[in-house]
Amino acid sequence: MKTSATQVLIVGAGPTGLVLALWLRRLGVDLRIIDKASGPGETSRAIAVQARTLEFYRQLGIVDDVLAAGIRVERLAVRTPSGIAATLKLGDFGAGLSRYPFAFALPQDIHERILVRHLERAGVAVERRAELMSFEQDAAGVTATVVKHGAGEVIRAAYLCGADGASSTVRHGLKLGFPGGTYEQSFYVADVEVEGTIARDGLNVCLDAHGFAIVLPVRQSGSVRLIGIVPAENTAEEKITFEAIRAEVERITGVTVKAVNWFSTYRLHHRVAERFRVGRVFIAGDAGHIHSPAGGQGMNTGIGDAVNLGWKLAAVVGGRADARLIDSYEPERIAFARRLVASTDRAFRVLTSRSVLAGLWRRYLMPRMIALLVATPAGARFAFRIVSQIGITYRDRGGAGQVRGGDRLPYVDALSGDNFAPLSSLDWQVHVYGAASPAFRAALTKTGIPVHAFPFTPAAAEAGFGRDAIYLVRPDGHVAMATVTQDPAPLLRYIEAFAISPGASVP
């Protein structure tokens, strides 16, 4: 049997695995990525691409291609069977909080192809029809047995990452529990041609006493995507067809379907794995957590897993950090996954409940509450922070101004650029909003970590930065630690504790 070696073996070439591969490759890691499918997905359930994901893509240098392929969701129309109940502007509801203050949609099948193309440009091809059969690990690495095109291969890797979906072979191989449950309803997704009044540049949420549906235009085909609950009377059918539910779908959405390009039904689960790591083996994305589509969080959370793991793994594999740095992956990401699953589960149960009380609330009160929430700039910004994932924080050390260690670096725009531009280095850096003293700069010189000084403008103050305070920024754009004074000692201790050595290599 053929044998080979690599630094990191990634199992699964969905968005999570592909982003992990892109990040690792940008940082000079030797890797292989395998997937048992013959090609990228042909259909799409995940559509929303949140602002935090777009920020990560800017760091990787691929955001322009992603934005060109999708559609900015300019408005959200809330519809009931009586007509449009509310119209909400989403074109810039996060203004001042991100370079991407809008809602954005890109079907997952197209999304994956963009990621694959950029990975191939970086010199890594996804190995298709390659299935992980088994693996075992020891103190020095992982030995994986893979069958590719019918032939066996043994791959020796320093680390193994399972991004292989809800039925993850890696998670099963680790014998990890996957506690949670399955929603009782069945759901449908369809790509159709329609007639009727919908917001062609927006998201249409259709609420009814008996359920809900989402109508979203798909830019590439000019068609419309429908997502919703299969009517109760059809749930038990062995094979659910679109024609069987057409009348109910058209009643709730207010559109007339002229042609069906594709149609599928599925069941949804809400689960979080017991662990995200065992020794040298990790899981990420749907392999570690699955939940309702409420808020468009699932795929974006998996991509967040990939970025969090990617920079840490690359630093350790490249000898630029102590192996203890990777220890923070599981606690940071599993805590967020648990909070997310709990919150989306509560929201989804209300959204999909067939009880009379919930139905009345959904049809008559929910549209008014949504309109009130985002009717003010403060409400819109609050909603954006939650949905966009820019509010994710990993509590770390210290604080200065309103910014605490672990927070995502607040965004500040300026005439000469913005403070996120240096993050394209995918490396450690220090930010100062004001002036960095010569003594502080000299003390940091020996670490090799660059110091970026930005003017302390009203925008910087509004973002929560303290004047002349010090912010050590991680490669993923989160603040590792913050100090009010320019005493370099706390930063130097932090850097020494994890043996941090900057200098990301770009192949």
Side-chain angles (χ1 to χ4, degrees), residues 183-189 212 227-230 240 245 263-269 292-293 348 352:
Y183 293 106
E184 62 182 26
Q185 301 94 337
S186 293
F187 298 82
Y188 66 83
V189 58
F212 86 105
I227 303 171
I229 304 175
V230 173
I240 302 170
I245 65 173
F263 171 77
S264 179
T265 60
Y266 56 97
R267 299 291 295 275
L268 288 172
H269 306 262
S292 85
F348 201 61
T352 61

mmCIF file of all heavy atoms in Angstrom, residues 183-189 212 227-230 240 245 263-269 292-293 348 352:
data_model
loop_
_atom_site.group_PDB
_atom_site.id
_atom_site.type_symbol
_atom_site.label_atom_id
_atom_site.label_comp_id
_atom_site.label_asym_id
_atom_site.label_seq_id
_atom_site.Cartn_x
_atom_site.Cartn_y
_atom_site.Cartn_z
ATOM 1 N N TYR A 183 -35.436 18.269 14.785
ATOM 2 C CA TYR A 183 -36.720 18.969 14.717
ATOM 3 C C TYR A 183 -37.756 18.069 14.061
ATOM 4 O O TYR A 183 -37.457 17.305 13.140
ATOM 5 C CB TYR A 183 -36.575 20.265 13.921
ATOM 6 C CG TYR A 183 -35.711 21.294 14.615
ATOM 7 C CD1 TYR A 183 -34.417 21.560 14.164
ATOM 8 C CD2 TYR A 183 -36.172 21.978 15.730
ATOM 9 C CE1 TYR A 183 -33.627 22.502 14.799
ATOM 10 C CE2 TYR A 183 -35.383 22.916 16.374
ATOM 11 C CZ TYR A 183 -34.112 23.169 15.907
ATOM 12 O OH TYR A 183 -33.326 24.080 16.540
ATOM 13 N N GLU A 184 -38.987 18.189 14.534
ATOM 14 C CA GLU A 184 -40.040 17.296 14.041
ATOM 15 C C GLU A 184 -40.478 17.638 12.623
ATOM 16 O O GLU A 184 -40.956 16.789 11.879
ATOM 17 C CB GLU A 184 -41.254 17.361 14.978
ATOM 18 C CG GLU A 184 -41.894 18.730 15.069
ATOM 19 C CD GLU A 184 -43.062 18.787 16.038
ATOM 20 O OE1 GLU A 184 -43.091 17.981 16.977
ATOM 21 O OE2 GLU A 184 -43.948 19.633 15.826
ATOM 22 N N GLN A 185 -40.297 18.884 12.222
ATOM 23 C CA GLN A 185 -40.740 19.297 10.895
ATOM 24 C C GLN A 185 -39.749 18.883 9.810
ATOM 25 O O GLN A 185 -38.559 18.734 10.064
ATOM 26 C CB GLN A 185 -40.926 20.821 10.834
ATOM 27 C CG GLN A 185 -41.933 21.370 11.815
ATOM 28 C CD GLN A 185 -41.286 21.834 13.111
ATOM 29 O OE1 GLN A 185 -40.200 21.377 13.449
ATOM 30 N NE2 GLN A 185 -41.950 22.716 13.820
ATOM 31 N N SER A 186 -40.279 18.707 8.615
ATOM 32 C CA SER A 186 -39.436 18.558 7.433
ATOM 33 C C SER A 186 -39.383 19.906 6.723
ATOM 34 O O SER A 186 -40.324 20.706 6.802
ATOM 35 C CB SER A 186 -40.005 17.496 6.480
ATOM 36 O OG SER A 186 -39.927 16.215 7.058
ATOM 37 N N PHE A 187 -38.289 20.154 6.025
ATOM 38 C CA PHE A 187 -38.100 21.429 5.340
ATOM 39 C C PHE A 187 -37.846 21.194 3.861
ATOM 40 O O PHE A 187 -37.389 20.121 3.463
ATOM 41 C CB PHE A 187 -36.931 22.192 5.975
ATOM 42 C CG PHE A 187 -37.166 22.520 7.417
ATOM 43 C CD1 PHE A 187 -36.922 21.574 8.401
ATOM 44 C CD2 PHE A 187 -37.651 23.758 7.794
ATOM 45 C CE1 PHE A 187 -37.154 21.845 9.736
ATOM 46 C CE2 PHE A 187 -37.887 24.040 9.125
ATOM 47 C CZ PHE A 187 -37.640 23.097 10.103
ATOM 48 N N TYR A 188 -38.147 22.202 3.068
ATOM 49 C CA TYR A 188 -37.903 22.104 1.635
ATOM 50 C C TYR A 188 -37.001 23.252 1.192
ATOM 51 O O TYR A 188 -36.929 24.318 1.818
ATOM 52 C CB TYR A 188 -39.211 22.151 0.839
ATOM 53 C CG TYR A 188 -39.955 23.459 0.923
ATOM 54 C CD1 TYR A 188 -39.620 24.544 0.102
ATOM 55 C CD2 TYR A 188 -41.008 23.625 1.822
ATOM 56 C CE1 TYR A 188 -40.294 25.746 0.184
ATOM 57 C CE2 TYR A 188 -41.690 24.823 1.917
ATOM 58 C CZ TYR A 188 -41.325 25.891 1.093
ATOM 59 O OH TYR A 188 -41.995 27.086 1.196
ATOM 60 N N VAL A 189 -36.298 23.029 0.101
ATOM 61 C CA VAL A 189 -35.532 24.077 -0.566
ATOM 62 C C VAL A 189 -35.725 23.866 -2.061
ATOM 63 O O VAL A 189 -35.683 22.734 -2.546
ATOM 64 C CB VAL A 189 -34.040 24.038 -0.161
ATOM 65 C CG1 VAL A 189 -33.413 22.700 -0.480
ATOM 66 C CG2 VAL A 189 -33.260 25.153 -0.851
ATOM 67 N N PHE A 212 -43.653 29.279 7.940
ATOM 68 C CA PHE A 212 -42.907 30.398 7.374
ATOM 69 C C PHE A 212 -42.183 29.933 6.120
ATOM 70 O O PHE A 212 -42.014 28.739 5.882
ATOM 71 C CB PHE A 212 -41.912 30.964 8.393
ATOM 72 C CG PHE A 212 -40.591 30.253 8.395
ATOM 73 C CD1 PHE A 212 -39.472 30.838 7.820
ATOM 74 C CD2 PHE A 212 -40.450 28.991 8.954
ATOM 75 C CE1 PHE A 212 -38.247 30.187 7.813
ATOM 76 C CE2 PHE A 212 -39.234 28.335 8.955
ATOM 77 C CZ PHE A 212 -38.130 28.935 8.380
ATOM 78 N N ILE A 227 -37.270 28.523 0.624
ATOM 79 C CA ILE A 227 -36.943 27.660 1.750
ATOM 80 C C ILE A 227 -38.089 27.760 2.743
ATOM 81 O O ILE A 227 -38.537 28.872 3.062
ATOM 82 C CB ILE A 227 -35.624 28.085 2.433
ATOM 83 C CG1 ILE A 227 -34.471 28.091 1.433
ATOM 84 C CG2 ILE A 227 -35.298 27.174 3.607
ATOM 85 C CD1 ILE A 227 -33.194 28.696 1.984
ATOM 86 N N GLY A 228 -38.567 26.632 3.236
ATOM 87 C CA GLY A 228 -39.663 26.696 4.192
ATOM 88 C C GLY A 228 -39.991 25.360 4.814
ATOM 89 O O GLY A 228 -39.285 24.366 4.617
ATOM 90 N N ILE A 229 -41.090 25.349 5.559
ATOM 91 C CA ILE A 229 -41.536 24.147 6.251
ATOM 92 C C ILE A 229 -42.503 23.374 5.368
ATOM 93 O O ILE A 229 -43.427 23.951 4.785
ATOM 94 C CB ILE A 229 -42.253 24.499 7.569
ATOM 95 C CG1 ILE A 229 -41.361 25.345 8.455
ATOM 96 C CG2 ILE A 229 -42.685 23.247 8.308
ATOM 97 C CD1 ILE A 229 -42.058 25.823 9.715
ATOM 98 N N VAL A 230 -42.287 22.078 5.269
ATOM 99 C CA VAL A 230 -43.233 21.218 4.565
ATOM 100 C C VAL A 230 -44.544 21.214 5.343
ATOM 101 O O VAL A 230 -44.542 21.042 6.578
ATOM 102 C CB VAL A 230 -42.678 19.786 4.439
ATOM 103 C CG1 VAL A 230 -43.736 18.838 3.869
ATOM 104 C CG2 VAL A 230 -41.430 19.775 3.557
ATOM 105 N N ILE A 240 -41.828 13.400 -0.897
ATOM 106 C CA ILE A 240 -42.523 14.678 -0.991
ATOM 107 C C ILE A 240 -42.119 15.359 -2.297
ATOM 108 O O ILE A 240 -40.926 15.542 -2.572
ATOM 109 C CB ILE A 240 -42.173 15.577 0.208
ATOM 110 C CG1 ILE A 240 -42.534 14.871 1.513
ATOM 111 C CG2 ILE A 240 -42.882 16.920 0.103
ATOM 112 C CD1 ILE A 240 -42.009 15.564 2.744
ATOM 113 N N ILE A 245 -46.950 20.227 -2.518
ATOM 114 C CA ILE A 245 -46.987 21.352 -1.573
ATOM 115 C C ILE A 245 -47.099 22.699 -2.278
ATOM 116 O O ILE A 245 -47.087 23.746 -1.644
ATOM 117 C CB ILE A 245 -45.741 21.353 -0.660
ATOM 118 C CG1 ILE A 245 -44.469 21.605 -1.464
ATOM 119 C CG2 ILE A 245 -45.631 20.036 0.093
ATOM 120 C CD1 ILE A 245 -43.231 21.787 -0.589
ATOM 121 N N PHE A 263 -35.502 20.729 -6.510
ATOM 122 C CA PHE A 263 -36.302 20.707 -5.283
ATOM 123 C C PHE A 263 -35.801 19.583 -4.385
ATOM 124 O O PHE A 263 -35.451 18.505 -4.855
ATOM 125 C CB PHE A 263 -37.781 20.470 -5.634
ATOM 126 C CG PHE A 263 -38.661 20.223 -4.435
ATOM 127 C CD1 PHE A 263 -39.072 21.273 -3.625
ATOM 128 C CD2 PHE A 263 -39.097 18.938 -4.124
ATOM 129 C CE1 PHE A 263 -39.891 21.044 -2.522
ATOM 130 C CE2 PHE A 263 -39.908 18.704 -3.028
ATOM 131 C CZ PHE A 263 -40.306 19.757 -2.226
ATOM 132 N N SER A 264 -35.720 19.867 -3.086
ATOM 133 C CA SER A 264 -35.269 18.850 -2.143
ATOM 134 C C SER A 264 -35.919 19.088 -0.792
ATOM 135 O O SER A 264 -36.303 20.221 -0.463
ATOM 136 C CB SER A 264 -33.740 18.904 -2.009
ATOM 137 O OG SER A 264 -33.289 17.934 -1.081
ATOM 138 N N THR A 265 -36.058 18.018 -0.018
ATOM 139 C CA THR A 265 -36.545 18.138 1.354
ATOM 140 C C THR A 265 -35.516 17.537 2.295
ATOM 141 O O THR A 265 -34.698 16.707 1.898
ATOM 142 C CB THR A 265 -37.895 17.416 1.544
ATOM 143 O OG1 THR A 265 -37.732 16.022 1.249
ATOM 144 C CG2 THR A 265 -38.961 18.009 0.646
ATOM 145 N N TYR A 266 -35.542 17.952 3.552
ATOM 146 C CA TYR A 266 -34.554 17.485 4.512
ATOM 147 C C TYR A 266 -35.065 17.707 5.924
ATOM 148 O O TYR A 266 -36.042 18.425 6.153
ATOM 149 C CB TYR A 266 -33.211 18.200 4.299
ATOM 150 C CG TYR A 266 -33.294 19.723 4.355
ATOM 151 C CD1 TYR A 266 -32.981 20.410 5.516
ATOM 152 C CD2 TYR A 266 -33.683 20.447 3.226
ATOM 153 C CE1 TYR A 266 -33.061 21.793 5.566
ATOM 154 C CE2 TYR A 266 -33.760 21.834 3.270
ATOM 155 C CZ TYR A 266 -33.449 22.499 4.442
ATOM 156 O OH TYR A 266 -33.530 23.865 4.492
ATOM 157 N N ARG A 267 -34.377 17.081 6.873
ATOM 158 C CA ARG A 267 -34.658 17.277 8.296
ATOM 159 C C ARG A 267 -33.504 18.040 8.921
ATOM 160 O O ARG A 267 -32.356 17.940 8.482
ATOM 161 C CB ARG A 267 -34.818 15.921 9.005
ATOM 162 C CG ARG A 267 -35.952 15.066 8.481
ATOM 163 C CD ARG A 267 -37.316 15.639 8.808
ATOM 164 N NE ARG A 267 -37.601 15.664 10.238
ATOM 165 C CZ ARG A 267 -38.102 14.631 10.932
ATOM 166 N NH1 ARG A 267 -38.332 13.479 10.317
ATOM 167 N NH2 ARG A 267 -38.354 14.745 12.224
ATOM 168 N N LEU A 268 -33.803 18.805 9.957
ATOM 169 C CA LEU A 268 -32.789 19.605 10.637
ATOM 170 C C LEU A 268 -32.528 19.086 12.042
ATOM 171 O O LEU A 268 -33.430 18.581 12.714
ATOM 172 C CB LEU A 268 -33.235 21.068 10.728
ATOM 173 C CG LEU A 268 -33.214 21.864 9.427
ATOM 174 C CD1 LEU A 268 -33.860 23.216 9.642
ATOM 175 C CD2 LEU A 268 -31.791 22.045 8.920
ATOM 176 N N HIS A 269 -31.283 19.248 12.482
ATOM 177 C CA HIS A 269 -30.871 18.807 13.809
ATOM 178 C C HIS A 269 -30.276 19.977 14.578
ATOM 179 O O HIS A 269 -29.894 20.996 14.000
ATOM 180 C CB HIS A 269 -29.813 17.702 13.701
ATOM 181 C CG HIS A 269 -30.225 16.543 12.854
ATOM 182 N ND1 HIS A 269 -30.731 15.381 13.376
ATOM 183 C CD2 HIS A 269 -30.207 16.374 11.506
ATOM 184 C CE1 HIS A 269 -31.006 14.538 12.402
ATOM 185 N NE2 HIS A 269 -30.702 15.121 11.247
ATOM 186 N N SER A 292 -30.317 25.023 13.563
ATOM 187 C CA SER A 292 -31.306 25.544 12.640
ATOM 188 C C SER A 292 -30.699 26.636 11.767
ATOM 189 O O SER A 292 -29.677 27.222 12.118
ATOM 190 C CB SER A 292 -32.486 26.132 13.428
ATOM 191 O OG SER A 292 -32.210 27.463 13.801
ATOM 192 N N PRO A 293 -31.336 26.936 10.627
ATOM 193 C CA PRO A 293 -30.810 27.987 9.755
ATOM 194 C C PRO A 293 -31.184 29.393 10.207
ATOM 195 O O PRO A 293 -30.911 30.352 9.488
ATOM 196 C CB PRO A 293 -31.459 27.656 8.405
ATOM 197 C CG PRO A 293 -32.757 27.009 8.766
ATOM 198 C CD PRO A 293 -32.469 26.218 10.002
ATOM 199 N N PHE A 348 -35.887 29.269 16.575
ATOM 200 C CA PHE A 348 -36.453 28.425 15.527
ATOM 201 C C PHE A 348 -37.727 27.732 15.980
ATOM 202 O O PHE A 348 -38.661 27.554 15.192
ATOM 203 C CB PHE A 348 -35.407 27.399 15.096
ATOM 204 C CG PHE A 348 -35.651 26.825 13.736
ATOM 205 C CD1 PHE A 348 -35.658 27.641 12.618
ATOM 206 C CD2 PHE A 348 -35.863 25.467 13.559
ATOM 207 C CE1 PHE A 348 -35.866 27.123 11.352
ATOM 208 C CE2 PHE A 348 -36.073 24.943 12.296
ATOM 209 C CZ PHE A 348 -36.073 25.763 11.193
ATOM 210 N N THR A 352 -41.190 28.095 13.971
ATOM 211 C CA THR A 352 -41.771 26.941 13.283
ATOM 212 C C THR A 352 -42.897 26.254 14.044
ATOM 213 O O THR A 352 -43.490 25.303 13.537
ATOM 214 C CB THR A 352 -40.678 25.885 13.012
ATOM 215 O OG1 THR A 352 -40.121 25.434 14.254
ATOM 216 C CG2 THR A 352 -39.577 26.466 12.145
#
